[in-house]
Coordinates of all heavy atoms in Angstrom, one line a residue:
M1 N 0.8 -1.2 0.0 CA 0.0 0.0 0.0 C 0.9 1.3 0.0 O 1.9 1.3 0.6 CB -0.9 0.0 1.3 CG -1.8 -1.1 1.4 SD -3.2 -1.0 0.2 CE -3.8 -2.6 0.3
S2 N 0.4 2.3 -0.6 CA 1.1 3.5 -0.7 C 0.8 4.3 0.6 O -0.2 4.1 1.3 CB 0.8 4.3 -1.9 OG -0.5 4.8 -1.8
R3 N 1.7 5.3 0.8 CA 1.4 6.1 2.0 C 0.2 7.0 1.8 O -0.4 7.4 2.8 CB 2.7 6.9 2.4 CG 3.1 8.0 1.4 CD 4.4 8.6 1.8 NE 4.4 10.0 1.4 CZ 5.4 10.8 1.7 NH1 6.4 10.3 2.3 NH2 5.4 12.0 1.3
Y4 N -0.1 7.3 0.6 CA -1.3 8.1 0.3 C -2.6 7.3 0.7 O -3.5 7.8 1.3 CB -1.4 8.5 -1.2 CG -0.1 9.1 -1.7 CD1 0.8 8.4 -2.5 CD2 0.3 10.3 -1.3 CE1 2.0 8.9 -3.0 CE2 1.5 10.9 -1.7 CZ 2.3 10.2 -2.5 OH 3.5 10.7 -2.9
F5 N -2.6 6.0 0.3 CA -3.7 5.1 0.7 C -3.8 5.1 2.2 O -4.9 5.2 2.7 CB -3.4 3.7 0.1 CG -4.5 2.8 0.3 CD1 -5.5 2.6 -0.6 CD2 -4.5 1.9 1.5 CE1 -6.6 1.7 -0.4 CE2 -5.5 1.0 1.7 CZ -6.5 0.9 0.8
D6 N -2.7 4.9 2.9 CA -2.7 4.8 4.3 C -3.2 6.1 5.0 O -4.0 6.1 6.0 CB -1.4 4.5 4.9 CG -0.9 3.1 4.5 OD1 -1.8 2.2 4.2 OD2 0.3 2.8 4.4
T7 N -2.8 7.2 4.4 CA -3.3 8.5 5.0 C -4.7 8.7 4.8 O -5.4 9.2 5.7 CB -2.5 9.7 4.3 OG1 -1.1 9.4 4.5 CG2 -2.8 11.0 4.9
V8 N -5.2 8.4 3.6 CA -6.7 8.6 3.3 C -7.5 7.6 4.2 O -8.5 8.0 4.8 CB -7.0 8.3 1.8 CG1 -8.5 8.2 1.6 CG2 -6.4 9.4 0.9
N9 N -7.0 6.4 4.3 CA -7.6 5.4 5.2 C -7.7 6.0 6.6 O -8.8 5.9 7.3 CB -6.9 4.1 5.2 CG -7.6 3.0 5.9 OD1 -8.8 2.8 5.7 ND2 -6.9 2.3 6.8
F10 N -6.6 6.5 7.1 CA -6.6 7.1 8.5 C -7.6 8.2 8.7 O -8.4 8.2 9.6 CB -5.2 7.6 8.8 CG -5.1 8.3 10.2 CD1 -5.1 7.6 11.4 CD2 -5.1 9.7 10.2 CE1 -5.1 8.2 12.6 CE2 -5.0 10.3 11.4 CZ -5.0 9.6 12.6
L11 N -7.7 9.1 7.7 CA -8.6 10.3 7.8 C -10.0 9.8 7.7 O -10.9 10.2 8.5 CB -8.3 11.2 6.7 CG -6.9 12.0 6.7 CD1 -6.7 12.7 5.5 CD2 -6.9 12.9 7.9
V12 N -10.3 8.9 6.8 CA -11.7 8.4 6.6 C -12.2 7.7 7.8 O -13.3 7.8 8.3 CB -11.9 7.6 5.3 CG1 -13.3 7.0 5.2 CG2 -11.6 8.5 4.1
E13 N -11.4 6.8 8.3 CA -11.8 6.0 9.5 C -12.0 6.8 10.7 O -12.8 6.4 11.6 CB -10.8 4.8 9.7 CG -9.8 5.0 10.7 CD -8.8 3.7 10.8 OE1 -9.0 2.8 10.0 OE2 -8.0 3.8 11.7
N14 N -11.4 8.0 10.8 CA -11.7 8.9 11.9 C -12.9 9.8 11.7 O -13.4 10.4 12.6 CB -10.5 9.7 12.3 CG -9.4 8.9 13.0 OD1 -9.7 8.5 14.1 ND2 -8.3 8.6 12.3
L15 N -13.4 9.8 10.5 CA -14.6 10.6 10.2 C -15.9 9.8 10.2 O -16.9 10.3 10.7 CB -14.5 11.2 8.8 CG -13.5 12.4 8.7 CD1 -13.3 12.7 7.2 CD2 -14.0 13.6 9.4
V16 N -15.9 8.5 9.9 CA -17.1 7.7 9.8 C -17.3 7.0 11.2 O -16.4 7.0 12.0 CB -17.0 6.7 8.7 CG1 -17.0 7.4 7.3 CG2 -15.9 5.7 8.8
E17 N -18.5 6.5 11.3 CA -18.9 5.9 12.6 C -18.1 4.6 12.9 O -17.7 4.3 14.0 CB -20.4 5.6 12.6 CG -21.2 6.8 12.7 CD -22.7 6.6 12.7 OE1 -23.1 5.4 12.8 OE2 -23.4 7.5 12.5
S18 N -17.9 3.7 11.9 CA -17.2 2.5 12.1 C -16.4 2.1 10.9 O -16.7 2.5 9.8 CB -18.2 1.3 12.4 OG -19.0 1.0 11.3
K19 N -15.4 1.3 11.2 CA -14.5 0.9 10.1 C -15.2 0.0 9.1 O -14.8 -0.1 7.9 CB -13.3 0.1 10.7 CG -12.4 0.9 11.5 CD -11.2 0.1 12.0 CE -10.3 1.0 12.9 NZ -9.2 0.2 13.4
S20 N -16.3 -0.6 9.5 CA -17.0 -1.5 8.5 C -17.9 -0.7 7.6 O -18.5 -1.3 6.7 CB -17.8 -2.5 9.3 OG -18.8 -1.9 10.1
S21 N -18.1 0.6 7.8 CA -19.0 1.3 6.9 C -18.3 1.9 5.7 O -19.0 2.5 4.9 CB -19.6 2.5 7.8 OG -18.6 3.4 8.2
F22 N -17.0 1.6 5.5 CA -16.4 2.0 4.2 C -15.2 1.0 3.9 O -14.8 0.2 4.7 CB -15.8 3.4 4.4 CG -14.5 3.4 5.2 CD1 -13.3 3.5 4.5 CD2 -14.5 3.4 6.6 CE1 -12.1 3.5 5.2 CE2 -13.3 3.4 7.3 CZ -12.1 3.4 6.6
H23 N -14.8 1.1 2.6 CA -13.6 0.5 2.2 C -12.9 1.2 1.1 O -13.6 2.0 0.4 CB -13.7 -1.0 1.9 CG -14.5 -1.3 0.7 ND1 -15.8 -1.3 0.6 CD2 -14.0 -1.6 -0.6 CE1 -16.2 -1.6 -0.6 NE2 -15.2 -1.8 -1.4
L24 N -11.7 1.1 0.9 CA -10.9 1.8 -0.1 C -10.4 0.9 -1.2 O -10.0 -0.3 -0.9 CB -9.7 2.5 0.5 CG -10.0 3.6 1.6 CD1 -8.7 4.1 2.1 CD2 -10.9 4.7 1.1
E25 N -10.3 1.4 -2.4 CA -9.7 0.7 -3.5 C -8.6 1.6 -4.1 O -8.9 2.8 -4.2 CB -10.7 0.3 -4.6 CG -11.7 -0.7 -4.1 CD -12.8 -0.9 -5.1 OE1 -12.8 -0.3 -6.2 OE2 -13.7 -1.7 -4.8
S26 N -7.5 1.1 -4.4 CA -6.4 1.9 -5.0 C -5.9 1.3 -6.3 O -5.8 0.1 -6.4 CB -5.3 2.0 -3.9 OG -4.2 2.8 -4.4
N27 N -5.5 2.2 -7.2 CA -5.0 1.7 -8.5 C -3.9 2.7 -8.8 O -4.1 3.9 -8.8 CB -6.1 1.7 -9.5 CG -5.6 1.1 -10.8 OD1 -4.5 0.6 -10.9 ND2 -6.5 1.2 -11.8
E28 N -2.7 2.2 -9.2 CA -1.6 3.1 -9.5 C -1.1 2.8 -10.9 O -0.9 1.7 -11.4 CB -0.4 2.8 -8.5 CG 0.7 3.8 -8.7 CD 1.7 3.8 -7.6 OE1 1.4 3.1 -6.5 OE2 2.8 4.3 -7.7
K29 N -1.0 3.9 -11.7 CA -0.5 3.9 -13.1 C 0.5 5.0 -13.3 O 0.2 6.1 -13.4 CB -1.7 4.1 -14.1 CG -2.7 3.0 -14.1 CD -3.8 3.3 -15.1 CE -4.9 2.2 -15.0 NZ -6.0 2.5 -15.9
G30 N 1.7 4.6 -13.3 CA 2.8 5.5 -13.5 C 2.9 6.5 -12.4 O 3.0 6.2 -11.2
K31 N 2.7 7.8 -12.7 CA 2.7 8.9 -11.7 C 1.4 9.1 -11.1 O 1.3 9.9 -10.1 CB 3.2 10.2 -12.3 CG 4.7 10.2 -12.7 CD 5.0 11.6 -13.2 CE 6.5 11.7 -13.5 NZ 6.9 13.0 -13.9
S32 N 0.3 8.5 -11.6 CA -1.0 8.7 -11.1 C -1.5 7.6 -10.2 O -1.2 6.5 -10.4 CB -2.0 8.8 -12.3 OG -1.7 9.8 -13.2
I33 N -2.1 8.0 -9.1 CA -2.7 7.1 -8.1 C -4.2 7.5 -8.0 O -4.5 8.6 -7.7 CB -2.0 7.2 -6.8 CG1 -0.5 7.0 -6.9 CG2 -2.6 6.3 -5.7 CD1 0.3 7.3 -5.7
F34 N -5.0 6.5 -8.2 CA -6.4 6.6 -8.0 C -6.9 5.9 -6.8 O -6.7 4.7 -6.6 CB -7.2 6.1 -9.3 CG -6.7 6.7 -10.6 CD1 -5.7 6.1 -11.3 CD2 -7.2 7.9 -11.0 CE1 -5.3 6.7 -12.5 CE2 -6.8 8.5 -12.1 CZ -5.8 7.9 -12.9
I35 N -7.6 6.7 -5.9 CA -8.1 6.1 -4.7 C -9.6 6.3 -4.7 O -10.1 7.4 -4.9 CB -7.5 6.7 -3.4 CG1 -6.0 6.5 -3.4 CG2 -8.2 6.2 -2.2 CD1 -5.3 7.3 -2.3
K36 N -10.4 5.2 -4.5 CA -11.8 5.2 -4.5 C -12.3 4.9 -3.1 O -11.9 3.8 -2.6 CB -12.4 4.2 -5.5 CG -13.9 4.3 -5.7 CD -14.4 3.2 -6.6 CE -14.0 3.4 -8.0 NZ -14.6 2.5 -9.0
I37 N -13.1 5.7 -2.5 CA -13.7 5.5 -1.2 C -15.1 5.1 -1.4 O -15.9 5.8 -2.0 CB -13.7 6.8 -0.4 CG1 -12.3 7.4 -0.3 CG2 -14.2 6.5 1.0 CD1 -12.2 8.8 0.3
I38 N -15.4 3.9 -1.0 CA -16.7 3.3 -1.1 C -17.3 3.3 0.3 O -16.8 2.6 1.2 CB -16.7 1.9 -1.7 CG1 -16.1 2.0 -3.1 CG2 -18.1 1.3 -1.7 CD1 -15.5 0.8 -3.6
V39 N -18.4 4.1 0.5 CA -18.9 4.4 1.9 C -20.4 4.2 1.8 O -21.1 4.4 0.8 CB -18.5 5.8 2.3 CG1 -19.1 6.9 1.5 CG2 -18.9 6.0 3.8
D40 N -21.0 3.7 3.0 CA -22.4 3.6 3.0 C -23.1 4.9 3.1 O -22.5 5.9 3.4 CB -22.8 2.7 4.2 CG -22.5 3.2 5.6 OD1 -22.1 4.4 5.6 OD2 -22.7 2.5 6.5
E41 N -24.4 4.9 2.7 CA -25.1 6.2 2.6 C -25.2 7.0 3.9 O -25.2 8.2 3.9 CB -26.5 5.9 2.1 CG -27.3 7.1 1.6 CD -28.6 6.7 0.9 OE1 -28.8 5.6 0.6 OE2 -29.3 7.7 0.6
A42 N -25.3 6.3 5.0 CA -25.4 6.9 6.3 C -24.2 7.8 6.7 O -24.3 8.8 7.4 CB -25.6 5.9 7.4
N43 N -23.0 7.4 6.2 CA -21.8 8.2 6.5 C -21.3 9.0 5.3 O -20.3 9.7 5.4 CB -20.7 7.2 6.8 CG -20.9 6.6 8.2 OD1 -20.9 7.3 9.2 ND2 -21.2 5.3 8.2
M44 N -22.0 9.0 4.2 CA -21.6 9.8 3.1 C -21.6 11.3 3.4 O -20.6 12.0 3.0 CB -22.6 9.6 1.9 CG -22.3 10.3 0.6 SD -21.0 9.5 -0.3 CE -21.9 8.3 -1.1
G45 N -22.5 11.8 4.1 CA -22.5 13.3 4.5 C -21.4 13.7 5.4 O -20.8 14.7 5.2
K46 N -21.0 12.8 6.3 CA -19.9 13.0 7.2 C -18.6 13.1 6.4 O -17.7 13.9 6.7 CB -19.7 12.0 8.2 CG -20.9 12.0 9.2 CD -20.7 10.8 10.2 CE -21.9 10.8 11.1 NZ -21.8 9.7 12.1
L47 N -18.5 12.4 5.3 CA -17.2 12.3 4.6 C -17.2 13.5 3.6 O -16.1 14.1 3.4 CB -17.1 11.0 3.8 CG -15.8 10.7 3.1 CD1 -14.7 10.8 4.1 CD2 -15.9 9.4 2.4
I48 N -18.3 13.9 3.0 CA -18.3 15.0 2.1 C -18.3 16.3 2.8 O -17.6 17.2 2.4 CB -19.6 14.9 1.2 CG1 -19.4 13.7 0.3 CG2 -19.7 16.2 0.3 CD1 -20.7 13.4 -0.5
G49 N -19.1 16.5 3.9 CA -19.1 17.7 4.6 C -20.0 18.7 4.0 O -20.5 18.6 2.9
K50 N -20.2 19.8 4.7 CA -21.1 20.9 4.2 C -20.4 21.5 3.0 O -19.3 22.0 3.0 CB -21.3 21.9 5.3 CG -22.4 22.9 5.1 CD -22.6 23.7 6.3 CE -24.0 24.4 6.2 NZ -24.3 25.1 7.4
N51 N -21.1 21.6 1.9 CA -20.7 22.1 0.6 C -19.4 21.5 0.1 O -18.6 22.1 -0.6 CB -20.5 23.6 0.7 CG -21.8 24.4 0.9 OD1 -22.8 24.0 0.4 ND2 -21.7 25.4 1.7
G52 N -19.1 20.2 0.5 CA -18.0 19.5 0.1 C -16.6 19.9 0.7 O -15.6 19.6 0.2
R53 N -16.7 20.6 1.8 CA -15.5 21.1 2.4 C -14.6 20.0 3.0 O -13.3 20.2 2.8 CB -15.9 22.1 3.6 CG -16.4 23.3 3.1 CD -16.7 24.3 4.2 NE -17.3 25.5 3.6 CZ -18.1 26.3 4.3 NH1 -18.3 26.1 5.6 NH2 -18.6 27.4 3.7
I54 N -15.1 19.0 3.6 CA -14.2 17.9 4.1 C -13.5 17.2 3.0 O -12.3 17.0 3.1 CB -15.0 17.0 5.1 CG1 -15.5 17.8 6.3 CG2 -14.2 15.8 5.5 CD1 -16.4 17.0 7.2
I55 N -14.2 16.7 2.0 CA -13.5 15.9 1.0 C -12.6 16.8 0.2 O -11.5 16.4 -0.2 CB -14.5 15.2 0.1 CG1 -13.8 14.2 -0.8 CG2 -15.4 16.2 -0.8 CD1 -13.1 13.1 -0.1
T56 N -12.9 18.1 0.0 CA -12.0 19.0 -0.7 C -10.7 19.2 0.2 O -9.6 19.2 -0.4 CB -12.7 20.4 -0.9 OG1 -13.8 20.2 -1.7 CG2 -11.8 21.4 -1.6
S57 N -10.8 19.2 1.5 CA -9.7 19.4 2.3 C -8.8 18.1 2.3 O -7.6 18.2 2.2 CB -10.1 19.6 3.8 OG -10.8 20.8 3.9
I58 N -9.4 17.0 2.2 CA -8.7 15.7 2.1 C -7.9 15.7 0.8 O -6.7 15.3 0.7 CB -9.6 14.5 2.3 CG1 -10.1 14.4 3.7 CG2 -8.9 13.2 1.9 CD1 -11.2 13.4 3.9
R59 N -8.6 16.0 -0.3 CA -8.0 16.0 -1.6 C -6.8 17.0 -1.7 O -5.7 16.7 -2.2 CB -9.0 16.4 -2.7 CG -10.0 15.3 -3.0 CD -11.0 15.7 -4.0 NE -11.9 14.6 -4.3 CZ -13.2 14.7 -4.6 NH1 -13.8 15.9 -4.6 NH2 -13.9 13.6 -4.8
T60 N -7.0 18.2 -1.1 CA -5.9 19.2 -1.1 C -4.7 18.7 -0.3 O -3.6 18.8 -0.7 CB -6.4 20.5 -0.5 OG1 -7.6 21.0 -1.2 CG2 -5.4 21.6 -0.5
L61 N -4.9 18.1 0.9 CA -3.9 17.6 1.7 C -3.1 16.5 1.0 O -1.8 16.6 0.9 CB -4.4 17.1 3.0 CG -3.4 16.4 4.0 CD1 -2.5 17.4 4.5 CD2 -4.2 15.7 5.1
I62 N -3.8 15.5 0.4 CA -3.1 14.4 -0.3 C -2.4 14.9 -1.5 O -1.2 14.5 -1.8 CB -4.1 13.3 -0.6 CG1 -4.8 12.8 0.7 CG2 -3.5 12.2 -1.4 CD1 -3.8 12.1 1.6
S63 N -3.0 15.9 -2.2 CA -2.3 16.4 -3.4 C -1.0 17.2 -3.0 O 0.0 17.1 -3.7 CB -3.2 17.4 -4.2 OG -4.3 16.6 -4.7
S64 N -1.0 17.9 -1.9 CA 0.1 18.6 -1.4 C 1.3 17.7 -1.1 O 2.4 17.9 -1.4 CB -0.2 19.4 -0.2 OG -1.2 20.4 -0.5
I65 N 0.9 16.6 -0.5 CA 2.0 15.5 -0.1 C 2.5 14.9 -1.4 O 3.7 14.7 -1.6 CB 1.4 14.5 0.8 CG1 0.9 15.1 2.1 CG2 2.4 13.3 1.0 CD1 0.1 14.1 3.0
A66 N 1.6 14.6 -2.4 CA 2.0 14.0 -3.6 C 2.9 14.8 -4.5 O 3.8 14.3 -5.2 CB 0.8 13.5 -4.4
K67 N 2.7 16.1 -4.5 CA 3.5 17.0 -5.3 C 5.0 17.0 -5.0 O 5.8 17.1 -5.9 CB 3.0 18.5 -5.2 CG 1.8 18.7 -6.0 CD 1.4 20.2 -6.0 CE 0.1 20.4 -6.8 NZ -0.3 21.8 -6.9
K68 N 5.3 16.7 -3.8 CA 6.8 16.6 -3.5 C 7.4 15.4 -4.2 O 8.6 15.5 -4.4 CB 6.9 16.4 -1.9 CG 6.6 17.6 -1.1 CD 6.9 17.4 0.3 CE 6.7 18.6 1.1 NZ 6.9 18.4 2.5
E69 N 6.7 14.4 -4.5 CA 7.2 13.2 -5.2 C 6.8 13.2 -6.7 O 6.9 12.2 -7.4 CB 6.8 12.0 -4.5 CG 7.2 11.9 -3.1 CD 6.7 10.6 -2.4 OE1 6.0 9.9 -3.0 OE2 7.2 10.4 -1.3
N70 N 6.3 14.3 -7.2 CA 5.8 14.4 -8.6 C 4.8 13.4 -8.9 O 4.8 12.7 -10.0 CB 7.0 14.4 -9.6 CG 7.9 15.6 -9.5 OD1 7.4 16.7 -9.2 ND2 9.1 15.4 -9.6
K71 N 3.8 13.1 -8.0 CA 2.7 12.2 -8.2 C 1.4 13.0 -8.3 O 1.3 14.1 -7.8 CB 2.6 11.2 -7.0 CG 3.9 10.4 -6.8 CD 3.7 9.1 -7.5 CE 4.9 8.2 -7.2 NZ 4.9 6.9 -7.8
I72 N 0.4 12.3 -8.9 CA -0.9 12.9 -9.0 C -1.9 11.9 -8.3 O -1.9 10.7 -8.7 CB -1.3 13.1 -10.4 CG1 -0.4 14.1 -11.1 CG2 -2.8 13.6 -10.5 CD1 -0.6 14.2 -12.6
V73 N -2.6 12.4 -7.3 CA -3.5 11.5 -6.6 C -4.9 12.0 -6.8 O -5.2 13.2 -6.6 CB -3.2 11.5 -5.1 CG1 -4.2 10.6 -4.3 CG2 -1.8 11.0 -4.8
K74 N -5.8 11.1 -7.3 CA -7.2 11.4 -7.5 C -8.0 10.7 -6.5 O -7.8 9.4 -6.4 CB -7.6 11.1 -8.9 CG -6.9 11.8 -10.0 CD -7.3 13.2 -10.1 CE -6.6 13.9 -11.3 NZ -6.9 15.3 -11.4
I75 N -8.9 11.3 -5.8 CA -9.8 10.7 -4.8 C -11.2 10.8 -5.3 O -11.7 11.9 -5.6 CB -9.6 11.3 -3.4 CG1 -8.1 11.1 -3.0 CG2 -10.5 10.6 -2.4 CD1 -7.8 11.8 -1.7
E76 N -11.9 9.6 -5.3 CA -13.3 9.6 -5.7 C -14.1 8.9 -4.6 O -13.6 8.0 -4.0 CB -13.4 8.7 -7.0 CG -14.7 8.6 -7.6 CD -14.7 7.7 -8.9 OE1 -13.6 7.5 -9.4 OE2 -15.7 7.3 -9.3
I77 N -15.4 9.4 -4.5 CA -16.3 8.8 -3.5 C -17.4 8.1 -4.2 O -18.0 8.7 -5.1 CB -16.8 9.9 -2.5 CG1 -15.7 10.6 -1.8 CG2 -17.8 9.2 -1.5 CD1 -16.2 11.7 -0.9
K78 N -17.7 6.9 -3.8 CA -18.9 6.2 -4.3 C -19.7 5.7 -3.2 O -19.2 5.3 -2.1 CB -18.4 4.9 -5.1 CG -17.7 5.3 -6.4 CD -18.6 5.6 -7.5 CE -17.8 5.8 -8.8 NZ -18.7 6.1 -9.9
K79 N -21.0 5.6 -3.4 CA -21.9 5.1 -2.5 C -22.0 3.6 -2.6 O -22.0 3.0 -3.6 CB -23.4 5.6 -2.7 CG -24.4 5.2 -1.7 CD -25.7 5.9 -1.9 CE -26.4 5.2 -3.0 NZ -27.8 5.7 -3.2
A80 N -21.9 2.9 -1.4 CA -21.9 1.4 -1.4 C -23.3 0.9 -1.8 O -24.3 1.6 -1.5 CB -21.5 0.9 0.0
G81 N -23.3 -0.2 -2.5 CA -24.6 -0.8 -2.8 C -24.7 -1.3 -4.2 O -24.2 -1.6 -5.0

């Protein structure tokens, strides 16, 4: 696992009610890393935040870390089901 995956996992697990309410998928192609967060509907709002502020903050933080290594990290949220 990449450190980006671990960081996103840490942030998400501290935002949602339980560890079983989400899971992550990661795919790496060259300089690009794609992370998909699959979360149940009850915790979707906690992860997105008001007007998308929380997920935007997570994306900004991860992108800032990745720029030091010339990587591009894309984070996507999907509803489980």
Side-chain angles (χ1 to χ4, degrees):
M1 299 288 164
S2 70
R3 69 187 211 177
Y4 310 108
F5 182 90
D6 294 336
T7 305
V8 171
N9 188 49
F10 173 77
L11 293 170
V12 172
E13 94 181 6
N14 284 294
L15 288 170
V16 299
E17 290 178 13
S18 69
K19 292 180 183 181
S20 63
S21 63
F22 79 97
H23 70 277
L24 300 179
E25 295 175 359
S26 180
N27 188 6
E28 189 168 346
K29 293 181 184 176
K31 290 185 176 184
S32 299
I33 301 169
F34 302 95
I35 299 174
K36 187 183 294 186
I37 305 168
I38 299 154
V39 65
D40 63 8
E41 192 170 351
N43 288 295
M44 183 76 81
K46 292 179 183 177
L47 189 57
I48 295 173
K50 195 171 194 175
N51 294 324
R53 288 183 183 156
I54 293 175
I55 192 62
T56 300
S57 297
I58 292 171
R59 287 177 176 146
T60 302
L61 175 67
I62 299 300
S63 293
S64 298
I65 296 168
K67 280 187 181 183
K68 289 184 176 181
E69 298 178 356
N70 293 324
K71 300 268 186 178
I72 299 169
V73 179
K74 300 288 184 182
I75 301 173
E76 181 180 347
I77 300 175
K78 294 281 185 178
K79 183 172 77 170

